[in-house]
Amino acid sequence: MIEQTISEVAPASSELGAAHLCLYGHFYQPPREDPFSGLIPSEPGAAPYDNFNAKITAECYRPNAMAGNFDEISFDLGPTLAAWLEQAHPDVYQRIIAADQRHMQRYGVGNALAQAYNHTILPLATRRDKLTQILWGLSDFRHRYGHPAHGMWLAETAVDMETLDILAQCGVTYTVLAPWQAATPIDPTEPYIIPLQAGRTMTVFFYNAPLSGGVSFDWNTTNDANIFAASYLPGHLVHDKRVAGEAQLILIATDGELYGHHKPWRDQFLTHLVRYGAPGYGFEICSLERYMALHPATREADLHVPSAWSCAHGVARWERGCDCTPGDSSWKGALRHALVQLAQQGDQLFEQYTSEVLHDPWEARNDYLSLRNGWQSPESFWARHGKEGYPPLNAQVARRTLQLLEAQYYQQYSFTSCGFFFEDLDRIEPRNNIAFARRAISLTWQALSVDLQRDFLHNLQVARSGRTPLTGADLYKQLPVVEQRLLPPL
Ligand SMILES: [Zn+2]
């Protein structure tokens, strides 16, 4: 029925030239687990579900997976969400992974992209942390999908040149940015080459801003997939390319949770758009990687750096606060200062104490995720990174080294972007970042009996909620009680 209806109104496909459409979904949830217990505390706002991961799975991840939507789009599934989904809903997880594998079999390229591991705002991270975030994200992807990633989604599309250059050095060939991140005029119906150091390059797809915004924020836009294909899409094609029959691409990039969670039933809109509406109207549904293989970028662009898709002030939203969130957001700078100071102290101790047994502590950190998650054996890890091979001669020093690597792991979690995204400090997201930092403090205390808590609390006192009388130090003290021996005395 639907196909008939479209064929009556649709133009001959040649009228659109070689028009392609890509729907991109960024699927992501921050880690919600208590870092001491590993359990997700009950989230009353998610009722009748136990927590938001469960609620969003029921509303979005499951219906989109069951409808086969992941086969037709380009997407990234954030590592912290993928890890949870794999345990809690393995059937949904497997369908998402299988979609990329089918795409690979059909077209020789995948349709999934990797994500920087902890959804960290990479322009605000040190070079060393950028590299770890990117390598962990690529390692996580390879483990899950069974092949290396070529694309990487950057948290909040936050970018600077150093980030792109590290991406290129790690084998990533493309990413997605907002059109206003380009500093030179661009035509968003084609990908662009960003020149980097030493002849390296990165391909960037700039998404269509009005359509992506409409799908995200305007309820009426997504009422009917046929109307969307017939009335909204064609006007965004470049006329000359259309007439010449040249390939062009409309890219609609949004948070994936939009399809069913932020907007109920929009999973069905997505199904109809990619199966019937857009193809019926003459658009070819195409993943980013396939498009790049068929129609490589030919023109160069420059970027505004640092920049991101959800802040009009560089990356101030996550650094020191800006007008993108209402009220006094100066707590963001104070919270970041406290976390950066803690990380600097943690890094110094990590390097000092682990270099006794590790050839290069930072290379070992980059490889730690696979050890921690059991993708690499302890024998292999120590053979690669240990000065003494496996087993390490001094068991106590080996244990201390693993505790300090684990402290680094949670230190990375403490920079999750969500902690800085919203308007106030007294929310679950900043609390979680502080909880991850406390876990790093605990591991350092257990390993070395060095107290990093005192300075951290001192710095956190400066971060003040605008909504409640609480400071960051108050939030720290409200975290769940743990065994006394696990933390320095307050
Ligand atoms: Zn801003």
Side-chain angles (χ1 to χ4, degrees):
M1 274 304 285
I2 294 162
E3 283 153 296
Q4 274 178 357
T5 317
I6 294 167
S7 64
E8 286 162 15
V9 297
S13 61
S14 59
E15 285 182 35
L16 291 187
H20 297 73
L21 175 68
C22 178
L23 277 290
Y24 187 97
H26 165 52
F27 294 87
Y28 165 72
Q29 294 299 316
R32 302 174 185 280
E33 291 82 0
D34 176 287
F36 282 88
S37 70
L39 303 173
I40 300 184
S42 175
E43 296 175 338
Y49 301 95
D50 285 342
N51 57 64
F52 276 97
N53 282 9
K55 179 178 166 68
I56 300 168
T57 299
E59 293 172 351
C60 170
Y61 307 137
R62 178 175 293 282
N64 279 294
M66 295 303 155
N69 287 353
F70 286 92
D71 285 71
E72 309 295 338
I73 64 177
S74 278
F75 65 92
D76 68 283
L77 180 69
T80 48
L81 171 59
W84 178 85
L85 208 55
E86 185 179 17
Q87 294 299 317
H89 298 277
D91 57 330
V92 174
Y93 172 79
Q94 283 304 336
R95 277 178 180 262
I96 297 174
I97 301 299
D100 172 77
Q101 289 166 347
R102 269 194 298 275
H103 198 277
M104 184 70 124
Q105 283 161 6
R106 219 188 302 170
Y107 301 114
V109 295
N111 60 338
L113 284 78
Q115 188 206 282
Y117 193 79
N118 286 109
H119 215 264
T120 304
I121 300 299
L122 292 183
L124 295 175
T126 63
R127 183 181 178 87
R128 211 160 50 199
D129 285 358
K130 284 182 173 104
L131 182 60
T132 297
Q133 282 294 312
I134 290 167
L135 288 175
W136 284 7
L138 293 174
S139 159
D140 187 85
F141 185 98
R142 198 164 45 243
H143 165 72
R144 297 185 185 286
Y145 295 90
H147 64 89
H150 297 131
M152 182 170 269
W153 177 265
L154 298 170
E156 306 288 350
T157 79
V159 75
D160 63 2
M161 298 315 285
E162 186 175 71
T163 297
L164 288 184
D165 202 52
I166 296 173
L167 281 179
Q169 289 182 59
C170 294
V172 174
T173 56
Y174 70 100
T175 191
V176 176
L177 297 178
W180 53 82
Q181 292 179 266
T184 43
I186 51 126
D187 160 11
T189 68
E190 61 186 272
Y192 281 81
I193 297 163
I194 311 298
L196 303 168
Q197 289 174 34
R200 289 184 288 272
T201 62
M202 182 64 51
T203 293
V204 166
F205 289 89
F206 295 100
Y207 62 79
N208 181 296
L211 288 172
S212 302
V215 167
S216 295
F217 306 116
D218 175 22
W219 186 253
N220 292 327
T221 305
T222 50
N223 259 339
D224 185 310
N226 293 344
I227 293 174
F228 185 82
S231 309
Y232 285 77
L233 290 180
H236 292 274
L237 292 170
V238 173
H239 179 73
D240 290 350
K241 288 181 176 175
R242 203 168 148 166
V243 171
E246 271 177 41
Q248 53 182 322
L249 173 73
I250 294 180
L251 169 60
I252 299 177
T254 65
D255 284 341
E257 288 77 13
L258 154 75
Y259 299 105
H261 170 57
H262 298 308
K263 293 202 187 276
W265 313 115
R266 273 3 185 204
D267 47 302
Q268 296 180 19
F269 165 82
L270 181 58
T271 307
H272 282 270
L273 181 65
V274 294
R275 289 261 176 83
Y276 311 112
Y281 203 77
F283 284 89
E284 178 167 357
I285 302 298
C286 192
S287 69
L288 294 181
E289 200 157 334
R290 188 172 148 239
Y291 192 86
M292 201 165 83
L294 295 171
H295 310 288
T298 56
R299 291 200 274 178
E300 290 188 356
D302 291 334
L303 299 176
H304 289 296
V305 286
S307 60
W309 75 346
S310 45
C311 178
H313 316 89
V315 289
R317 181 172 189 149
W318 304 271
E319 184 179 25
R320 55 183 188 274
C322 63
D323 293 342
C324 291
T325 52
D328 177 9
S329 55
S330 60
W331 62 270
K332 294 182 179 184
L335 174 62
R336 184 164 286 277
H337 175 72
L339 290 168
V340 166
Q341 290 280 311
L342 175 66
Q344 285 173 353
Q345 292 172 332
D347 284 354
Q348 200 183 350
L349 292 169
F350 171 72
E351 188 173 279
Q352 182 184 339
Y353 284 93
T354 63
S355 57
E356 288 175 27
V357 286
L358 298 175
H359 292 299
D360 182 334
W362 303 108
E363 270 185 28
R365 182 178 81 167
N366 290 339
D367 204 21
Y368 177 62
L369 191 73
S370 62
L371 172 71
R372 186 180 195 277
N373 292 349
W375 308 334
Q376 172 176 207
S377 68
E379 287 86 342
S380 150
F381 181 84
W382 284 101
R384 264 195 222 184
H385 301 289
K387 288 181 174 171
E388 300 165 347
Y390 184 85
L393 297 178
N394 185 329
Q396 200 190 337
V397 172
R399 190 165 56 244
R400 187 178 77 188
T401 301
L402 291 174
Q403 282 173 323
L404 292 173
L405 280 162
E406 185 72 354
Q408 287 287 319
Y409 175 80
Y410 279 106
Q411 196 178 291
Q412 291 294 313
Y413 274 61
S414 74
F415 289 101
T416 301
S417 69
C418 317
F420 305 92
F421 183 80
F422 296 100
E423 78 294 347
D424 198 58
L425 172 69
D426 187 3
R427 288 179 56 110
I428 183 74
E429 299 86 0
R431 279 176 191 268
N432 281 346
N433 283 22
I434 292 170
F436 296 131
R438 187 175 71 148
R439 181 71 180 142
I441 288 169
S442 167
L443 286 156
T444 306
W445 174 249
Q446 291 173 66
L448 305 172
S449 301
V450 173
D451 179 0
L452 299 179
Q453 180 177 256
R454 186 191 309 254
D455 288 352
F456 187 55
L457 278 172
H458 178 77
N459 288 330
L460 278 181
Q461 277 171 5
V462 185
R464 289 191 166 275
S465 164
R467 201 161 42 81
T468 68
L470 300 179
T471 68
D474 296 322
L475 302 189
Y476 185 97
K477 289 170 187 165
Q478 289 177 354
L479 290 170
V481 176
V482 296
E483 269 183 75
Q484 227 170 16
R485 67 177 178 87
L486 295 179
L487 284 166
L490 272 173

